[in-house]
Amino acid sequence: MEKEKLLRIEDLVLHFSTTHGAVQAVDGVEFSLDYNKAVVILGESGCGKSSLAKAILRLLPRNIAKYSGKIYLGDTDIMLLSDETFRQDVRWVMLSMVPQAAMNALNPVIKVGDQVAEPAIIHLGVKKDEAMRMAKEMFQRVGVPEDFLSRYPFELSGGMRQRVAIAMALVTLPSLIILDEPTSALDLLTQANIFNVLKRIKQELGTSYILITHDIATSSELADDVAIMYAGQIIETSDAMRFFTEPLHPYSKLLMASVPRLRADADPIFITGQPPSLISLSSGCRFAPRCPSRFDKCDQDPPTADVGGRKIKCWLFS
Amino acid sequence: MKSLKKNFQELLKYPSAVVGLILVLVLVAISIYAMVTIPYNEAIILWRGGEDQWYRNPKYALPKWVNYFRKDKLPESIALSTIDHPEYKTVETNEDGSAIITIEIPFEYNYEILPVDLMIRFTSNFQEKAPFISVSWIRPDGEKIRIKNLSISPKQDYRVSQDKDLQKKLGGNKIEVGLFTDYKNDPKTIEKGKYTLKIEGATFEKDSDFDAEFIAYGKVAGLGGTDHLRRDLIVALLWGAPIALAFGLLAAVGTTLTQMIIAALGTWFGGWVDILIQRITEINLVLPFLPILIMIGTFYSRSIWVILTAVIILNIFGTGIKTFRAVFMQTKETPYIEAARAYGASNTRIIFSYMVPRILPMLIPQFIILIPSYVFLEASLAVLGLGDPTLPTWGKVIDEARANGALFQGWYYWVIEPSILLMLTGLAFAMLGFSLDRIFNPRLREM
């Protein structure tokens, strides 16, 4: 085995049971992440990106139909840990998260300083004033003025709240942070600011990120690796450099072509059809019904092919 | 602390809140005053001690303050005792130890209205031979009426107004008419001035002695009026306040807090915990509340503590569980709860520092409004005859008024006084609660 990865996910499955049948939100996901790298998970709405984040952090709703696979963090398989050990030793110690709609992720009745300090109190067992000192330091890092410590969330702007949520994820200095659409609902300037903050933190603290987003343009700022998710599966993983210049999977190609470009003449194109419902999935390639380069083999489930270190789940490459 | 002050200042902007707050403070002041001036044990003795505590009071008398609103003043009771006033008594001792004791009790009577009842209470001590006395009545114009000769027992009440012989002597008139008016003329007008009750007695033994107390029962007594047992209602009216407030507060605290915690636990853990709680609540909601309390009161105990416990237990799984659950369900799904879960907050931490504070703004006004409803419940139980038999409460006063036909007889004060206090309690907490609701739930302001 090559050098040890920070995170290695093998065959992660998360199905929800509903009255209509099982929703295959995460279905056999595999990818890995090195230390001090950022992987961007790109995909359309409803393709299972957030469920993947929840599956990694084991933040599960009650209607689980199937939850299996292996998640190696360092060399421990965190899927094997008990809930209580997971809560105490994994969450926020090794792995933290900036939740989706992080603007609302702050408790409205607690001062933001106390909230940022709270994970430190819970997990590092430090005293309150020590935790507050750490919170203050994190506020400086993410660029929130110190006197905001004693404010309530409603007194902060959206961008500030986002930074506070990031500070909260950082306060225990975990090696991996999952950012679930951290900048949706923010304007472009604020988005750029936040990404700068994230980049700086990555450099200074050596943190790794899993960035979940559907915003290709801004994600390219931060990405070292890219994983494309479609209908609960990861269909292409690649380093960012090569992916953004030449996507390989037909879906990736169409996805990239749908992004409007500033200096090119080409109009953005659309992918015809709808992403499949995650309840009734046909066998075979899940993108086949919408794929322009579809052929006979596509009726069977495609294997994952290695193309120069890039992994592509498509019959065209095997 | 600062925000508390801010909230308080905002509260003062609402006139209804100010009135409510003042009324609540008045009720609290009454409670403290009652507990300080009439300690609990004393209050119980006064209320349950029987006629000896109150023999100087007339029955069914209006409160004294009604005289402020009347032109023809109602007579107050006159009670004069030789024990309190030794100067009324002259003793001439003979050589053989026997004595002639003369008692002259003077009093002014200036009312236009006759007293309702006259009584003389004798207390005496002797070995074998009882003292013999003769009672006479001297009117302002000097006319002397002989009332009665009798030999007295160690403790004897001579009810002047019921003396048939005396009535005959006074021309068949009622005794009070005979004694206080020139009953031989028509119309019979009351003679005002100084009356004297003269008691001449002889004792026949050494150290034998007697005392007398003259009571002319008036038509007003005490600050609260009196009931069928001559008790001054003010005792019950004052002591009703702390009992009512304590009952209301304890029941409200007991039910809302437990309801909130149970609802939070059920919502948070979900699954069979939630199902169990919801089914218990639904079953409890269809159980008839009052009949169960009546059964407890009839068969087990009417102690206020037993009833309070029963009320709390029967109300815990009440509608509050459903309301709180609805709010908690919403709160549970908010991103910040998920965030808290993500950063590893424990269940207790999430429930008590994330979910519960969210519901407090809704809970506090509800809680305030709930207090009087439990006060009313206690009063209703008392009216149904399930009041604590030892305690003086507002509900008991109304119950006794009803049992003695107060409204048929026109003794309105008996019903109105406790009712007004109950209404004030309800009003005070309702006004305060609704104002608090407007502050804590600002969306109500638009409606």
Side-chain angles (χ1 to χ4, degrees), chain A residues 54 57-60 62 87 91-92 97 99-101 104-110 115 118-119 121-123 168, chain B residues 3 267-271 332 334-347 349 353-355 357-358:
Chain A
K54 284 181 184 166
L57 252 179
R58 211 190 281 186
L59 286 175
L60 306 171
R62 208 172 296 287
R87 176 175 87 72
R91 282 186 191 153
W92 248 252
M97 174 163 146
Q100 196 168 17
N104 303 321
L106 300 171
N107 189 335
V109 294
I110 302 181
Q115 284 187 65
E118 198 158 71
I121 298 173
I122 295 174
H123 288 295
M168 197 156 93
Chain B
S3 65
T267 331
W268 182 246
F269 290 109
K332 188 188 165 190
T334 51
Y336 71 84
I337 297 276
E338 185 161 43
R341 261 179 84 194
Y343 68 64
S346 61
N347 288 331
R349 196 177 192 97
S353 54
Y354 283 74
M355 310 238 299
R358 206 49 190 147

Side-chain angles (χ1 to χ4, degrees), chain A residues 6-297:
Chain A
L6 168 62
L7 176 77
R8 196 150 49 81
I9 294 176
E10 286 174 11
D11 197 25
L12 183 64
V13 174
L14 177 62
H15 292 179
F16 303 124
S17 65
T18 65
T19 44
H20 305 293
V23 178
Q24 306 177 18
V26 179
D27 198 23
V29 163
E30 299 195 7
F31 72 96
S32 59
L33 179 63
D34 285 326
Y35 285 94
N36 200 10
K37 292 277 182 196
V39 60
V40 175
I41 298 184
L42 279 172
E44 286 169 272
S45 297
C47 72
K49 303 186 300 287
S50 294
S51 298
L52 174 62
K54 284 181 184 166
I56 297 171
L57 252 179
R58 211 190 281 186
L59 286 175
L60 306 171
R62 208 172 296 287
N63 55 338
I64 297 295
K66 191 177 175 197
Y67 177 50
S68 65
K70 289 191 167 76
I71 304 171
Y72 289 101
L73 203 58
D75 51 4
T76 39
D77 183 358
I78 57 171
M79 289 291 281
L80 300 177
L81 300 174
S82 75
D83 280 354
E84 191 58 22
T85 330
F86 190 87
R87 176 175 87 72
Q88 284 176 0
D89 297 344
V90 177
R91 282 186 191 153
W92 248 252
V93 181
M94 298 197 253
L95 184 58
S96 70
M97 174 163 146
V98 178
Q100 196 168 17
M103 290 166 72
N104 303 321
L106 300 171
N107 189 335
V109 294
I110 302 181
K111 290 176 185 156
V112 290
D114 294 343
Q115 284 187 65
V116 172
E118 198 158 71
I121 298 173
I122 295 174
H123 288 295
L124 306 181
V126 297
K127 287 267 169 352
K128 171 99 192 211
D129 45 347
E130 171 67 7
M132 286 305 280
R133 198 193 53 73
M134 293 165 79
K136 204 194 235 173
E137 196 193 312
M138 283 309 151
F139 268 47
Q140 284 167 354
R141 277 193 193 283
V142 298
V144 181
E146 274 173 33
D147 57 322
F148 278 38
L149 278 167
S150 55
R151 294 204 185 178
Y152 287 93
F154 74 89
E155 296 174 296
L156 271 58
S157 69
M160 283 297 171
R161 270 185 265 177
Q162 195 69 52
R163 287 161 196 250
V164 169
I166 293 169
M168 197 156 93
L170 277 172
V171 70
T172 51
L173 298 175
S175 40
L176 177 59
I177 300 177
I178 300 172
L179 304 152
D180 191 357
E181 311 222 10
T183 56
S184 54
L186 292 178
D187 63 76
L188 275 172
L189 278 175
T190 321
Q191 284 189 11
N193 264 325
I194 296 220
F195 273 103
N196 285 336
V197 167
L198 290 172
K199 252 194 263 183
R200 202 176 61 238
I201 286 165
K202 189 173 156 225
Q203 278 164 16
E204 288 172 5
L205 300 177
T207 329
S208 296
Y209 297 125
I210 297 176
L211 174 62
I212 290 169
T213 184
H214 50 243
D215 187 344
I216 299 167
T218 41
S219 67
S220 61
E221 291 270 316
L222 194 65
D224 295 310
D225 293 317
V226 177
I228 304 295
M229 201 163 176
Y230 186 80
Q233 295 177 329
I234 289 198
I235 53 169
E236 175 168 358
T237 50
S238 167
D239 54 299
M241 216 40 198
R242 281 193 285 168
F243 178 82
F244 286 121
T245 44
E246 196 206 351
L248 290 181
H249 195 284
Y251 175 68
S252 314
K253 280 182 185 158
L254 288 168
L255 194 65
M256 290 304 289
S258 69
V259 180
R261 279 160 204 269
L262 195 58
R263 289 179 217 290
D265 253 349
D267 280 338
I269 56 151
F270 303 96
I271 307 177
T272 50
Q274 296 271 320
S277 152
L278 294 177
I279 293 175
S280 50
L281 286 166
S282 52
S283 61
C285 177
R286 291 183 180 178
F287 185 58
R290 301 166 78 187
C291 186
S293 28
R294 176 185 173 161
F295 61 110
D296 295 346
K297 269 190 173 174

Side-chain angles (χ1 to χ4, degrees), chain B residues 59-329:
Chain B
K59 288 179 179 180
Y60 313 119
L62 288 167
K64 269 182 185 168
W65 44 261
V66 296
N67 271 345
Y68 290 113
F69 308 105
R70 292 179 68 105
K71 227 155 100 195
D72 48 341
K73 306 293 179 202
L74 293 170
E76 287 183 24
S77 294
I78 296 165
L80 296 164
S81 163
T82 51
I83 297 168
D84 302 336
H85 301 274
E87 70 270 15
Y88 296 158
K89 190 162 138 183
T90 47
V91 183
E92 290 168 40
T93 320
N94 294 330
E95 281 165 18
D96 60 351
S98 66
I100 303 289
I101 297 175
T102 314
I103 294 171
E104 286 192 355
I105 300 175
F107 64 96
E108 294 277 336
Y109 199 82
N110 292 323
Y111 297 103
E112 300 285 349
I113 293 163
L114 290 167
V116 290
D117 200 6
L118 299 173
M119 182 185 93
I120 306 167
R121 169 169 284 203
F122 296 105
T123 45
S124 61
N125 59 324
F126 56 89
Q127 250 86 52
E128 280 165 12
K129 204 149 182 238
F132 190 81
I133 53 165
S134 132
V135 184
S136 48
W137 182 259
I138 301 164
R139 296 226 282 219
D141 57 7
E143 190 192 340
K144 188 173 176 185
I145 303 166
R146 290 182 63 86
I147 292 180
K148 178 94 169 171
N149 296 336
L150 73 165
S151 97
I152 51 173
S153 56
K155 189 177 171 192
Q156 181 170 358
D157 289 344
Y158 169 51
R159 298 207 169 265
V160 182
S161 302
Q162 288 163 16
D163 192 330
K164 290 277 183 296
D165 298 337
L166 181 61
Q167 196 171 4
K168 239 174 261 169
K169 200 188 285 177
L170 294 171
N173 287 298
K174 274 187 73 180
I175 304 283
E176 292 81 24
V177 177
L179 291 180
F180 284 94
T181 64
D182 47 350
Y183 62 92
K184 284 158 196 157
N185 306 328
D186 235 13
K188 304 178 176 80
T189 47
I190 294 177
E191 290 182 33
K192 294 179 184 174
K194 188 181 163 200
Y195 288 81
T196 310
L197 180 79
K198 193 166 183 188
I199 300 164
E200 293 153 302
T203 59
F204 306 103
E205 290 166 1
K206 203 167 181 288
D207 295 330
S208 176
D209 193 8
F210 70 88
D211 284 289
E213 180 171 19
F214 169 69
I215 304 167
Y217 293 111
K219 287 195 154 167
V220 291
L223 288 170
T226 61
D227 64 6
H228 60 304
L229 298 173
R230 303 178 190 277
R231 298 179 293 200
D232 189 345
L233 290 179
I234 199 73
V235 176
L237 296 178
L238 284 178
W239 258 95
I243 293 170
L245 291 187
F247 188 91
L249 199 69
L250 287 176
V253 169
T255 49
T256 29
L257 276 188
T258 34
Q259 273 181 350
M260 184 181 72
I261 290 169
I262 290 174
L265 290 176
T267 331
W268 182 246
F269 290 109
W272 65 266
V273 184
D274 195 30
I275 290 172
L276 187 73
I277 291 170
Q278 294 313 310
R279 293 303 89 77
I280 292 177
T281 308
E282 279 146 21
I283 292 169
N284 188 56
L285 281 177
V286 291
L287 291 181
F289 175 63
L290 217 48
I292 293 180
L293 277 189
I294 291 174
M295 280 196 283
I296 293 173
T298 316
F299 295 122
Y300 182 59
S301 161
R302 280 186 222 170
S303 152
I304 197 158
W305 299 111
V306 173
I307 297 288
L308 177 68
T309 318
V311 164
I312 291 178
I313 290 174
L314 290 174
N315 271 306
I316 281 177
F317 289 98
T319 42
I321 294 257
K322 296 269 176 200
T323 350
F324 292 147
R325 181 171 181 265
V327 181
F328 279 138
M329 287 298 251

